[in-house]
Amino acid sequence: MSTASLANLAVAALAGPRTLPEGASSTAPEVDATFFLILYIALFFFVAIVGTMIYFVIKYRRRSPGQRTSPSEGSFKLEVIWTVVPAIILVILFYIGFKTWVRMSVPPQEAIEVRVTAFKWGWEFQYPRHSVSQKELIVPLDYPVKLIMSSKDVIHSFYVPAFRIKRDVLPERYTVLWFRATKLGTFDVRCAEYCGTKHSRMITRIHVWPYKKWRKWYQKGGPLSSVKNPIELGRLLFDTKCSPCHSAEKSREVIVGPPLYGIYGEKAVLTDGSTVTVDDNYLRESIITPQKKIVKGFENQLMNPFPELTTKQIDALVDYLKTLGHKGAQPVPPPMKK
Ligand code: CUA
């Protein structure tokens, strides 16, 4: 019997009623088994020690004001027992924890790699074979996935409750995390490190697809396979890189930065009181050097530049932004009058 199925059995025996989110990765049964083992050992000793204490407090209570405590002596036997037994338990717990930790820390060689970029306030996933990154991660069932993570700004933490995995994501350094999903479906990803005012918005999803379906999608080029023209490419890029902070909706909700619906061709008031016409050049400049001309009312917001964007991608983004509210979009030209 494999360790994983043993761990599964142990969880089923120990867990009882559902107390944790559904476990959906290969590490989940081991983590849960270790957790419940520690919990039940702690519970046993808590009841045994506090129970004995309460029993003694009642049994040996002072019955009259003149009653004196009977003299007590140390017991070598008792001291050996309460030293050796906990020591053995701790060594066993260390062994179980260490084995699980080693398995969680060393990604299998065949693992597929994904780059994870955390930023204030969102996640970006990039498969090395794909030319466009994604806001949500799509992975195959029952196949190891290795995440190579870094942050654009402050410390974040990549946390998937259902997979029982979590690791800090740091600026200017890579950290690695891996998992093998064991259930089809969609699972939440959270940021588990307080990273500023919109920390609680740093939520995304992992979609687990059947291996065959995933492989087909992956080979076709992922999200890019649906791209037909620059506007569509711009929409995809916007969704990943801009939508965590900028609304493209008609409601013009302020998420973090200025809403971008219907701004093309309008005048924008800047922090220094001057105005600028929102045209192709201004949009491009604001993507490349966001700090240069900041719209009034958004003084304190920090937008990082996107050095990874190619000229073609910036053009596509501008093309897409022009379609919001259709003030800059080129409609199909009318038929020529004779
Ligand atoms: Cu990122 Cu909290």
Side-chain angles (χ1 to χ4, degrees), residues 121 155-157 191-195 199 202:
W121 285 275
I155 300 177
H156 304 271
S157 183
C191 178
E193 179 76 55
Y194 182 69
C195 53
H199 156 73
M202 251 183 105

Side-chain angles (χ1 to χ4, degrees), residues 37 50 59 62 95 135 177 197 256-257 259:
L37 183 65
V50 175
K59 186 173 179 197
R62 195 168 70 161
Y95 174 75
K135 196 161 70 167
L177 194 59
T197 49
V256 175

Side-chain angles (χ1 to χ4, degrees), residues 116-120 122 124 149-156 169-172 241 303-309:
V116 179
T117 307
F119 57 94
K120 291 196 289 189
E124 206 182 318
M149 313 188 291
S150 66
S151 165
K152 273 187 123 174
D153 34 55
V154 298
I155 300 177
H156 304 271
V169 183
L170 311 166
E172 286 164 28
K241 298 190 182 283
M303 174 171 157
N304 282 314
F306 294 85
E308 73 273 22
L309 288 175

